[in-house]
Amino acid sequence: MRVGVVGASGYVGGEILRLLVSHPHAEITMVTSRQYVGEYISRVQPSLKGFTDLTFSELDYDKLTDKCDLVFTAVPHGTAVDIVKALYDRGMKVIDLSADYRLHNPADYDKWYGWQHPHPELLEKSVFGVPELHREEIKKSQIVSCPGCMAVTSILGLYPLIKKKIIDTEHIVVDSKIGSSGAGAGTVSGTHHAMRSGVIRPYKPAKHRHTGEIEQELSQAAGSKIKVSMSPHAVDIVRGILCTNHVFLKQQVSEMDLWKMYREQYQNERFVRLIRDKKGFYKFPDPKFVVGSNFCDVGFDIDEDNNRLVVLSASDNLMKGAAGSAIQNMNVMAGFNEMEGISYSPLTPV
Amino acid sequence: MRVGVVGASGYVGGEILRLLVSHPHAEITMVTSRQYVGEYISRVQPSLKGFTDLTFSELDYDKLTDKCDLVFTAVPHGTAVDIVKALYDRGMKVIDLSADYRLHNPADYDKWYGWQHPHPELLEKSVFGVPELHREEIKKSQIVSCPGCMAVTSILGLYPLIKKKIIDTEHIVVDSKIGSSGAGAGTVSGTHHAMRSGVIRPYKPAKHRHTGEIEQELSQAAGSKIKVSMSPHAVDIVRGILCTNHVFLKQQVSEMDLWKMYREQYQNERFVRLIRDKKGFYKFPDPKFVVGSNFCDVGFDIDEDNNRLVVLSASDNLMKGAAGSAIQNMNVMAGFNEMEGISYSPLTPV
Amino acid sequence: MRVGVVGASGYVGGEILRLLVSHPHAEITMVTSRQYVGEYISRVQPSLKGFTDLTFSELDYDKLTDKCDLVFTAVPHGTAVDIVKALYDRGMKVIDLSADYRLHNPADYDKWYGWQHPHPELLEKSVFGVPELHREEIKKSQIVSCPGCMAVTSILGLYPLIKKKIIDTEHIVVDSKIGSSGAGAGTVSGTHHAMRSGVIRPYKPAKHRHTGEIEQELSQAAGSKIKVSMSPHAVDIVRGILCTNHVFLKQQVSEMDLWKMYREQYQNERFVRLIRDKKGFYKFPDPKFVVGSNFCDVGFDIDEDNNRLVVLSASDNLMKGAAGSAIQNMNVMAGFNEMEGISYSPLTPV
Amino acid sequence: MRVGVVGASGYVGGEILRLLVSHPHAEITMVTSRQYVGEYISRVQPSLKGFTDLTFSELDYDKLTDKCDLVFTAVPHGTAVDIVKALYDRGMKVIDLSADYRLHNPADYDKWYGWQHPHPELLEKSVFGVPELHREEIKKSQIVSCPGCMAVTSILGLYPLIKKKIIDTEHIVVDSKIGSSGAGAGTVSGTHHAMRSGVIRPYKPAKHRHTGEIEQELSQAAGSKIKVSMSPHAVDIVRGILCTNHVFLKQQVSEMDLWKMYREQYQNERFVRLIRDKKGFYKFPDPKFVVGSNFCDVGFDIDEDNNRLVVLSASDNLMKGAAGSAIQNMNVMAGFNEMEGISYSPLTPV
């Protein structure tokens, strides 16, 4: 399959390239970057030295259409919206990694982004790119919109509970912790190593934009409007995200029943690992143990005193949280084995 | 004032020594460690090289009584309980940094520690060492028990809200993130740098022991039983703790009213800084900006959609979370200026 | 090929397993650990969850001989010496990761390890496992001894200069910097996260044991005795090693000539990347950009003022510095494509 | 003493302010920053919240002259040169933190900075601000130029050896490792946390500018031209620098004689600690154990095999390497106790 990547100078674009150079059924045919036209990719993404001799091109829709069967768009929110439209209009398959096609309801763009979506008619054509939830739709779709890392990680943790309607949906607290690659490659004083190291920095404790995606997907699973209280924090790692999903049980549920619900949901999913151990080193999900892999690890602990359930879900924000999901979606769309090119074990310790 | 430190080979004991060597009214007269008897302190606490020529002694109650006016006990939970009793019986003033005298109700030791307290009669004589809450009692007490770092940080964040009775006390979620010095100096595979770096590791997501202290203090403030849902996480820093306290408002409260409540509570407190900024670098508390200081920074964000209030509280777990509070308590007990020896500004960036 | 791993509970053993589970021509048939007999491997090496259902066995030479065609030994120095001998006597192919068979001259064990080698007759049968230097011998050998990470990284940087005899061999300074996984999984106070984070800790600035391996290989290349002045430092990363090799030129050599020497040596080597860029992000080798890969990146800078050449060489200490080299050696011994199972691109950023 | 700080929005300026707010004899009367005129200092330097209510002013020489007795200039190289001149001409005492007045020979600015110094006549009036070397001159000087962190750390390590003329001055290798605060607060892609974390990044392995300062001072001590081969590396810490000074002995010298030379040089220096321990935790200097203090720790190891001496010197690059030295110089110039305001013990662990 001939593949193009639009906007490949950032961390997510770089990760897509890293996965594609080793993918057995993909050939990278065109890579664009406004900033680096003509430069060797490996100058900007130095770890790819020896893996590709390609250079960055300008964004040219005719060439993309000519050279590629499928295009990944890894440009900032707001920039993707017209590029995806243009490619769609040319009949291309597109996997978008921005937020521009994640929400189905145009009004949600007003609410969360303060922005009127210019192509609302495309929103219903775009599928939310979590194969574990929407595999059949993804197979048939021309546009797949990959979720944010907080969204996919949190959703996979909460989904079975929502579907089984066993939790109080008024008090869902998602406290997430994320590494610095999640902020993108832009340089501001807050991302300077001296300022970003050693932080446990709350950012947007209330009303974070990605809440919208989580509410959309969980509400759809529940068949009713779900409210989510999400608060993200920047912590001193580069890769990885943990969502600590604090929920309150409507009724008493045994640990065994809970595991049963999770197994039922995920038993055939290769990229969701259920983490359950009473002793040993790895009792609960921790992003350290998924780095470099496409896994989302899920586990939980029960707080009987308070009728609380703490669901932990962990992933690599550049893999399952972005580029890994993107390749997984490509595999589904193209009819490849879903694990092709993303079956890596985690790199540990790192 | 002649001061002794029992158990000074760990991180908390080392921090107490570090503060004492520069304290204008304290003289360290005896320092004990079972493991290092006869060794120079600066061999075990190398940053103290040049600040003290003392060596570690064995624990000897007669010598302690003879040489000291006040003793800090910085030994593990369960070990302190008899040492404090012995010192108390000899009439010494004691500031304990273990959990052994924090809970007033003996039954709470059964519940949280699975342990029957051998000296329950002393529990009511011990004061919970947060001067911001119990200054007058501390002045008159012979035993002061310093709180755990999660407890003091969380309590200072939530206290004004509890006192004003404006939050739903059934759904208090305290999600805390803490550095590796909080685990103590013991070496197990989980604290090895290669395994501990890069983690966002949930430990004891439900039923963590320090919940008991928080519930005790908040319940006392509320005049009724308060339940707290606390989940701590180990993150990749050495010093610092952030408590993200998610609470739900019983009624609508304006931002201005909330600040008023916090100012009312803390306006005369030198070690609680209220953090409030709409722009700039430091909008919410972050332990990075209190490292080395005795501050607990407190701030919040309002999530109107969900009637949620996110209260952020941050401190240096070895300072306000342990040794800094201990010196603050000493200052109160001895009638010194409360800031003496702990007025350091944070060390930034570090 | 049926493969066994003796001593697989540490970081190097874990990395060998990680590589083997995805190797197309290798099947793991037996894995031993004294400490964890009967435990699932994935409990000790959590990133392997989902990749293997094997458990740890006791070390049993008959079973190993029966079940395996080749055995990796990843046990501490001093422990490997008899295990390798026993396997050798049973006719097994062995790839040893300890230092016990690296030095060919028994007297060197006295000098560097203060230890009389019990099986000196095997030392000449063991090949130093750097395919870039000894490929043909490795093909025919029954014992291959993988070099230490400092040795292989430094040797690959210096080898072409030594062979060309252009540097002063009395003043070779190798200043190396290495991550915490290089120290092994043992827990001592110096590896505790709180003590190991933030260090730039010189350890053994003079007379470090691994100097012996470097001198052996460079002396062989030079045809005369070479002295190396090596000083390792622990820095705050988990994976990676940089050797800064400071050498003084005997004569003036142009940059172009130097590159020519390096290209001549390494042009057919897939795992040595020459790093040379005047602008852009990656001007000199940096272990950050080889993490997870089997590359050794090599580059240099010329200090005309002092007739000095600074050769930088970087690798992932668990990959090219240990397990990656081990698999590379296995591929050579077995006649597989040398890149099989270790062709990963670096994971960046991480 | 009334003190001004020109350029106080960066890390060095912030550190000067941090020290000044607690200095018993200094009063900050004016603080300038082009970028933040009118802003509260604590918005830009958040750790100072509660310590000062000052705002940033524009650079105004008349006001500075009026309000201050002494001015620190903490602006970039090239910017300081005219500001220092203007203040000098107005009769002010100036302590400059840039490189603009460190070199006494105008030709050295051509060589190392590619820049013709506009005020060469001032170079001989400026004293190189290391009190351990130039205390008497500093007392009488109107301009003191603080050294770079690599320079002061390396010089203090090598000085006694140079003075005693016991080392080969053709092969002095200074391999230094430094934290991210040393690069200043500017934001480029190389300082982004995701790119700067986990590095061991050589920068300018040959011909680094600060070599000039080291050569100047050591040559002066030797009475002859000394060549230094310096190579700095960025490592993953925020604060701290280690210089590994590899030198070759001209003659055999015993360990005892070496310590004697060091003690002779530094016995009355409060800010140089000699580190020497055969066991225990702290055998060689490590910047981890000087963080927050004004110490330069110095130690060594002898490599008899190669006639090499490895001198380790460690400091906090923002303290002894910049702001701490600046305050020390102020104390000397003003006749205060030299330790006033900078007698902090290191903060450990952090």
Side-chain angles (χ1 to χ4, degrees):
Chain A
M1 187 177 222
R2 299 171 312 149
V3 177
V5 183
V6 171
S9 64
Y11 300 148
V12 170
E15 188 76 350
I16 293 175
L17 292 176
R18 188 180 74 80
L19 295 172
L20 288 174
V21 294
S22 301
H23 193 291
H25 306 317
E27 184 198 358
I28 308 174
T29 50
M30 189 168 169
V31 176
T32 83
S33 160
R34 276 175 308 182
Q35 199 181 345
Y36 296 106
V37 174
E39 291 272 18
Y40 282 107
I41 287 172
S42 62
R43 174 165 274 169
V44 178
Q45 306 283 6
S47 60
L48 293 181
K49 192 173 160 61
F51 289 86
T52 176
D53 287 330
L54 279 173
T55 55
F56 287 107
S57 312
E58 280 188 88
L59 174 57
D60 179 320
Y61 293 115
D62 291 337
K63 285 192 184 158
L64 273 171
T65 312
D66 194 43
K67 288 186 158 180
C68 309
D69 303 313
L70 181 148
V71 174
F72 294 94
T73 46
V75 296
H77 307 320
T79 304
V81 71
D82 290 334
I83 297 174
V84 170
K85 173 78 163 73
L87 292 167
Y88 177 83
D89 288 348
R90 278 165 173 82
M92 298 293 288
K93 294 200 173 193
V94 186
I95 297 174
D96 181 36
L97 286 109
S98 81
D100 291 354
Y101 289 92
R102 289 178 192 157
L103 303 174
H104 302 317
N105 184 351
D108 282 345
Y109 281 95
D110 297 304
K111 171 168 183 185
W112 295 106
Y113 292 86
W115 183 63
Q116 204 168 348
H117 200 286
H119 312 298
E121 73 287 358
L122 273 192
L123 293 179
E124 60 193 45
K125 297 191 191 302
S126 169
V127 179
F128 194 75
V130 181
E132 290 78 3
L133 274 60
H134 303 294
R135 188 168 285 117
E136 294 311 312
E137 299 161 76
I138 292 167
K139 281 183 189 167
K140 295 173 287 190
S141 181
Q142 194 188 334
I143 307 181
V144 170
S145 173
C146 286
C149 62
M150 280 183 273
V152 66
T153 306
S154 173
I155 290 167
L156 289 172
L158 292 172
Y159 192 78
L161 306 175
I162 297 289
K163 256 183 66 181
K164 293 290 183 183
K165 299 185 191 302
I166 60 170
I167 60 171
D168 163 5
T169 55
E170 296 293 310
H171 298 96
I172 299 176
V173 171
V174 177
D175 189 294
S176 58
K177 298 94 180 162
I178 185 166
S180 60
S181 63
T187 54
V188 295
S189 63
T191 61
H192 189 294
H193 182 271
M195 279 297 137
R196 180 66 176 71
S197 288
V199 303
I200 312 175
R201 183 196 296 165
Y203 65 93
K204 211 64 193 140
K207 291 173 275 189
H208 188 281
R209 295 170 160 195
H210 291 182
T211 308
E213 305 169 26
I214 305 175
E215 290 187 349
Q216 168 182 287
E217 295 297 309
L218 295 185
S219 296
Q220 191 180 320
S224 63
K225 175 74 186 142
I226 302 283
K227 280 176 166 185
V228 170
S229 290
M230 185 172 73
S231 298
H233 304 75
V235 292
D236 190 353
I237 59 173
V238 172
R239 264 182 199 241
I241 176 167
L242 179 77
C243 290
T244 309
N245 307 280
H246 306 264
V247 297
F248 294 87
L249 293 163
K250 286 197 294 195
Q251 70 218 62
Q252 224 180 313
V253 190
S254 74
E255 194 182 327
M256 198 168 298
D257 285 341
L258 285 165
W259 282 120
K260 219 170 125 187
M261 292 175 198
Y262 276 96
R263 271 200 308 272
E264 193 181 310
Q265 186 68 43
Y266 294 127
Q267 58 191 344
N268 297 318
E269 295 299 340
R270 183 61 177 89
F271 292 119
V272 178
R273 296 194 303 189
L274 300 181
I275 302 302
R276 180 197 189 184
D277 205 344
K278 291 294 179 193
K279 63 171 194 168
F281 200 75
Y282 194 47
K283 297 191 188 73
F284 300 106
D286 177 345
K288 181 175 180 84
F289 296 112
V290 297
V291 166
S293 80
N294 198 46
F295 294 119
C296 180
D297 280 3
V298 176
F300 61 80
D301 200 13
I302 304 175
D303 180 0
E304 287 93 354
D305 278 8
N306 297 332
N307 227 20
R308 181 177 56 129
L309 183 66
V310 188
V311 179
L312 291 318
S313 46
S315 65
D316 177 330
N317 61 296
L318 292 180
M319 288 290 296
K320 187 64 181 167
S325 272
I327 302 295
Q328 189 181 354
N329 283 316
M330 179 188 85
N331 288 340
V332 172
M333 290 168 90
F336 303 147
N337 177 334
E338 198 168 319
M339 292 165 56
E340 208 72 87
I342 45 174
S343 63
Y344 299 102
S345 59
L347 190 65
T348 308
V350 75
Chain B
M1 187 178 223
R2 300 171 311 149
V3 176
V5 182
V6 171
S9 64
Y11 300 148
V12 170
E15 188 75 350
I16 292 174
L17 293 176
R18 188 180 75 80
L19 295 171
L20 287 174
V21 294
S22 302
H23 193 291
H25 306 316
E27 183 199 357
I28 308 173
T29 51
M30 189 168 168
V31 176
T32 83
S33 160
R34 275 175 308 180
Q35 199 181 345
Y36 297 106
V37 173
E39 291 274 18
Y40 281 108
I41 287 172
S42 62
R43 173 164 276 171
V44 177
Q45 307 284 5
S47 60
L48 294 181
K49 191 174 161 59
F51 289 86
T52 176
D53 288 329
L54 278 174
T55 55
F56 288 107
S57 313
E58 280 188 89
L59 173 57
D60 179 320
Y61 293 115
D62 291 337
K63 286 191 185 158
L64 274 171
T65 313
D66 194 44
K67 289 184 157 181
C68 309
D69 302 313
L70 180 149
V71 174
F72 294 95
T73 47
V75 295
H77 306 322
T79 303
V81 70
D82 290 335
I83 299 174
V84 171
K85 172 79 162 72
L87 292 167
Y88 177 83
D89 288 347
R90 277 165 172 84
M92 299 294 289
K93 293 200 172 194
V94 187
I95 296 174
D96 182 37
L97 287 110
S98 81
D100 291 353
Y101 289 92
R102 289 178 192 157
L103 303 174
H104 301 318
N105 183 350
D108 281 346
Y109 281 96
D110 297 304
K111 172 168 183 184
W112 295 105
Y113 292 85
W115 180 63
Q116 206 169 345
H117 200 288
H119 312 299
E121 74 285 359
L122 275 191
L123 294 178
E124 61 194 43
K125 296 190 191 301
S126 170
V127 178
F128 194 74
V130 180
E132 289 79 4
L133 274 60
H134 303 293
R135 187 168 284 117
E136 293 310 312
E137 299 162 76
I138 293 167
K139 281 183 189 166
K140 295 172 289 191
S141 182
Q142 192 188 335
I143 307 182
V144 170
S145 173
C146 287
C149 61
M150 282 183 272
V152 66
T153 307
S154 174
I155 290 166
L156 288 172
L158 292 172
Y159 193 78
L161 306 175
I162 296 290
K163 256 183 66 180
K164 294 290 183 184
K165 298 183 192 301
I166 61 170
I167 61 172
D168 164 5
T169 55
E170 297 292 311
H171 298 96
I172 299 177
V173 171
V174 177
D175 189 295
S176 58
K177 298 93 180 161
I178 185 165
S180 59
S181 62
T187 54
V188 294
S189 62
T191 60
H192 189 294
H193 181 272
M195 279 296 136
R196 181 66 177 70
S197 288
V199 303
I200 312 174
R201 182 195 298 166
Y203 64 93
K204 207 69 191 136
K207 290 173 276 188
H208 188 282
R209 296 168 160 196
H210 292 182
T211 308
E213 306 169 26
I214 305 175
E215 290 187 351
Q216 166 183 289
E217 294 298 309
L218 295 185
S219 296
Q220 191 179 321
S224 63
K225 175 73 188 141
I226 302 281
K227 278 175 167 185
V228 170
S229 291
M230 184 172 74
S231 299
H233 303 74
V235 294
D236 191 354
I237 58 172
V238 170
R239 264 183 199 243
I241 176 166
L242 179 77
C243 291
T244 309
N245 308 280
H246 306 263
V247 297
F248 294 87
L249 294 163
K250 285 198 296 195
Q251 68 219 62
Q252 226 179 311
V253 190
S254 74
E255 194 182 327
M256 198 165 299
D257 284 342
L258 284 165
W259 283 120
K260 218 170 125 188
M261 292 175 199
Y262 276 96
R263 272 201 308 272
E264 193 181 308
Q265 185 69 42
Y266 295 126
Q267 59 191 343
N268 296 318
E269 295 299 341
R270 183 60 178 88
F271 293 119
V272 179
R273 297 195 303 190
L274 300 181
I275 302 302
R276 179 194 190 185
D277 205 345
K278 292 293 181 196
K279 65 171 192 168
F281 200 75
Y282 194 47
K283 298 190 188 73
F284 300 106
D286 178 344
K288 181 176 180 84
F289 296 112
V290 297
V291 167
S293 81
N294 198 45
F295 293 120
C296 180
D297 280 4
V298 176
F300 61 80
D301 201 13
I302 304 175
D303 180 2
E304 289 93 353
D305 279 6
N306 298 331
N307 227 21
R308 181 178 55 129
L309 183 66
V310 188
V311 178
L312 289 321
S313 46
S315 65
D316 177 329
N317 61 295
L318 292 180
M319 288 291 295
K320 187 65 180 166
S325 272
I327 302 295
Q328 189 182 354
N329 283 315
M330 178 188 84
N331 289 340
V332 174
M333 291 167 89
F336 303 147
N337 177 334
E338 198 167 319
M339 291 166 56
E340 208 73 86
I342 45 174
S343 64
Y344 299 103
S345 59
L347 189 66
T348 307
V350 76
Chain C
M1 187 177 222
R2 300 170 312 148
V3 177
V5 183
V6 172
S9 64
Y11 300 148
V12 170
E15 188 75 351
I16 292 175
L17 293 176
R18 188 181 74 80
L19 295 171
L20 288 173
V21 294
S22 302
H23 193 291
H25 306 318
E27 183 199 358
I28 307 173
T29 51
M30 191 167 167
V31 176
T32 83
S33 160
R34 274 175 307 181
Q35 199 181 346
Y36 296 105
V37 174
E39 290 274 17
Y40 281 108
I41 288 171
S42 62
R43 173 165 275 171
V44 177
Q45 306 284 6
S47 60
L48 294 181
K49 192 174 160 59
F51 288 87
T52 175
D53 287 330
L54 278 173
T55 54
F56 287 108
S57 313
E58 281 188 89
L59 174 56
D60 179 321
Y61 293 115
D62 291 336
K63 285 192 186 158
L64 274 170
T65 312
D66 194 44
K67 288 185 159 181
C68 309
D69 302 315
L70 181 149
V71 173
F72 294 95
T73 46
V75 296
H77 307 323
T79 304
V81 70
D82 290 334
I83 298 174
V84 170
K85 172 77 162 74
L87 292 167
Y88 177 83
D89 288 347
R90 279 166 171 83
M92 298 294 290
K93 293 199 172 193
V94 186
I95 296 173
D96 181 36
L97 280 294
S98 83
D100 291 353
Y101 288 92
R102 289 178 193 157
L103 302 174
H104 301 318
N105 183 348
D108 282 346
Y109 280 96
D110 297 304
K111 172 168 183 185
W112 296 106
Y113 293 85
W115 180 64
Q116 206 169 345
H117 200 287
H119 312 299
E121 74 287 358
L122 274 192
L123 293 178
E124 61 193 44
K125 296 192 191 302
S126 169
V127 179
F128 194 74
V130 180
E132 289 79 5
L133 273 61
H134 302 294
R135 188 168 284 117
E136 294 310 311
E137 299 162 77
I138 293 167
K139 281 184 189 167
K140 294 174 289 191
S141 181
Q142 194 188 333
I143 307 181
V144 170
S145 174
C146 286
C149 61
M150 280 182 273
V152 67
T153 307
S154 174
I155 290 166
L156 289 172
L158 292 172
Y159 193 79
L161 306 175
I162 296 290
K163 256 182 67 181
K164 294 291 182 184
K165 298 183 192 301
I166 60 171
I167 61 172
D168 164 5
T169 55
E170 297 293 311
H171 298 96
I172 299 176
V173 171
V174 177
D175 189 296
S176 58
K177 298 92 180 162
I178 184 165
S180 59
S181 63
T187 54
V188 294
S189 62
T191 60
H192 189 295
H193 181 271
M195 279 296 136
R196 180 64 178 71
S197 288
V199 302
I200 312 176
R201 181 196 297 165
Y203 65 92
K204 209 67 193 139
K207 292 173 275 188
H208 188 281
R209 296 170 159 194
H210 291 182
T211 308
E213 305 169 26
I214 305 176
E215 291 187 349
Q216 166 182 289
E217 295 298 309
L218 295 186
S219 296
Q220 191 180 322
S224 63
K225 175 72 187 142
I226 302 282
K227 279 176 166 185
V228 170
S229 290
M230 184 172 73
S231 299
H233 304 75
V235 293
D236 191 354
I237 59 172
V238 171
R239 264 184 199 241
I241 175 166
L242 179 78
C243 290
T244 309
N245 308 281
H246 305 264
V247 297
F248 294 86
L249 292 163
K250 285 197 296 194
Q251 68 219 63
Q252 224 179 312
V253 190
S254 74
E255 193 183 328
M256 198 166 299
D257 285 341
L258 285 165
W259 283 120
K260 218 171 125 187
M261 292 176 198
Y262 276 95
R263 272 201 307 271
E264 194 181 307
Q265 186 68 43
Y266 294 126
Q267 60 191 341
N268 296 318
E269 296 299 339
R270 183 62 177 86
F271 293 118
V272 179
R273 297 195 303 189
L274 299 181
I275 302 301
R276 180 194 188 185
D277 206 345
K278 292 294 180 194
K279 64 172 193 168
F281 200 75
Y282 193 48
K283 298 191 190 72
F284 299 107
D286 178 344
K288 181 176 179 84
F289 295 112
V290 297
V291 167
S293 81
N294 198 46
F295 294 121
C296 180
D297 280 3
V298 176
F300 61 80
D301 201 13
I302 303 175
D303 180 0
E304 287 93 354
D305 278 7
N306 297 333
N307 227 22
R308 182 178 55 130
L309 183 66
V310 188
V311 178
L312 291 317
S313 47
S315 65
D316 177 330
N317 61 296
L318 292 180
M319 288 291 295
K320 187 65 180 167
S325 273
I327 302 294
Q328 190 182 353
N329 283 316
M330 178 188 84
N331 289 341
V332 173
M333 290 168 90
F336 303 146
N337 177 334
E338 199 167 320
M339 292 166 55
E340 208 72 87
I342 45 175
S343 63
Y344 300 102
S345 59
L347 190 65
T348 307
V350 75
Chain D
M1 187 178 223
R2 300 171 312 149
V3 177
V5 183
V6 171
S9 64
Y11 300 148
V12 170
E15 188 75 351
I16 293 173
L17 293 176
R18 188 180 74 80
L19 295 170
L20 288 173
V21 294
S22 302
H23 194 290
H25 307 316
E27 183 199 359
I28 308 173
T29 50
M30 189 167 169
V31 177
T32 84
S33 159
R34 276 176 307 181
Q35 198 181 345
Y36 297 105
V37 173
E39 292 272 18
Y40 281 108
I41 288 172
S42 62
R43 173 166 274 171
V44 177
Q45 308 282 6
S47 60
L48 293 180
K49 192 174 161 60
F51 289 85
T52 176
D53 287 329
L54 279 173
T55 55
F56 288 107
S57 313
E58 280 188 89
L59 174 56
D60 179 320
Y61 294 114
D62 291 337
K63 286 192 184 157
L64 274 170
T65 313
D66 195 44
K67 289 185 156 179
C68 308
D69 303 312
L70 181 149
V71 174
F72 294 95
T73 47
V75 297
H77 307 321
T79 304
V81 71
D82 290 334
I83 298 174
V84 170
K85 173 78 161 74
L87 292 167
Y88 177 84
D89 288 346
R90 278 165 172 82
M92 299 292 289
K93 294 200 172 192
V94 186
I95 296 174
D96 182 35
L97 281 293
S98 82
D100 290 354
Y101 288 92
R102 288 178 192 157
L103 302 173
H104 301 317
N105 183 350
D108 282 345
Y109 281 96
D110 298 304
K111 171 167 183 184
W112 294 106
Y113 293 85
W115 181 64
Q116 206 169 346
H117 200 288
H119 312 299
E121 74 286 358
L122 273 192
L123 293 178
E124 61 194 44
K125 297 192 191 301
S126 169
V127 179
F128 194 74
V130 180
E132 289 79 4
L133 274 59
H134 302 293
R135 188 168 284 117
E136 293 311 311
E137 300 163 76
I138 292 167
K139 282 184 188 167
K140 296 173 287 190
S141 182
Q142 193 187 334
I143 307 181
V144 170
S145 174
C146 286
C149 61
M150 281 182 273
V152 67
T153 307
S154 173
I155 290 165
L156 288 172
L158 292 171
Y159 192 80
L161 306 175
I162 296 289
K163 255 182 66 180
K164 294 290 182 184
K165 299 185 191 301
I166 60 169
I167 61 171
D168 163 7
T169 56
E170 296 294 310
H171 298 97
I172 299 176
V173 172
V174 177
D175 189 295
S176 59
K177 298 93 182 161
I178 185 165
S180 59
S181 62
T187 55
V188 294
S189 62
T191 60
H192 189 294
H193 182 271
M195 279 296 135
R196 180 68 176 69
S197 288
V199 303
I200 311 175
R201 183 196 295 165
Y203 66 93
K204 210 65 192 139
K207 293 173 274 188
H208 189 281
R209 295 169 160 194
H210 291 182
T211 308
E213 305 169 26
I214 305 176
E215 290 187 349
Q216 167 182 289
E217 295 298 309
L218 295 185
S219 297
Q220 191 179 320
S224 64
K225 174 73 187 143
I226 301 282
K227 279 177 165 184
V228 170
S229 290
M230 185 172 73
S231 299
H233 304 74
V235 293
D236 190 353
I237 59 173
V238 171
R239 263 182 199 244
I241 176 166
L242 179 78
C243 291
T244 309
N245 307 281
H246 306 265
V247 298
F248 294 87
L249 293 163
K250 285 198 294 194
Q251 69 219 62
Q252 224 179 311
V253 190
S254 73
E255 194 182 327
M256 199 166 297
D257 285 342
L258 286 165
W259 283 119
K260 220 172 124 186
M261 292 176 198
Y262 277 96
R263 272 200 307 272
E264 194 181 308
Q265 186 67 44
Y266 295 127
Q267 58 192 342
N268 296 318
E269 295 299 340
R270 184 60 177 90
F271 293 119
V272 179
R273 297 194 303 188
L274 300 181
I275 302 301
R276 179 196 190 184
D277 205 344
K278 293 295 180 194
K279 63 171 193 167
F281 200 76
Y282 194 47
K283 298 190 189 73
F284 300 106
D286 178 344
K288 181 176 180 84
F289 296 111
V290 298
V291 167
S293 81
N294 198 46
F295 294 120
C296 180
D297 279 3
V298 176
F300 61 80
D301 201 12
I302 304 175
D303 179 2
E304 287 93 354
D305 278 8
N306 298 331
N307 228 20
R308 181 177 55 128
L309 183 65
V310 189
V311 178
L312 291 319
S313 46
S315 64
D316 178 330
N317 61 295
L318 292 179
M319 289 289 297
K320 187 65 181 165
S325 272
I327 302 295
Q328 189 181 354
N329 283 316
M330 178 187 85
N331 288 340
V332 173
M333 291 168 89
F336 303 147
N337 177 334
E338 199 168 318
M339 292 165 55
E340 208 72 87
I342 45 174
S343 64
Y344 299 104
S345 59
L347 190 64
T348 308
V350 74

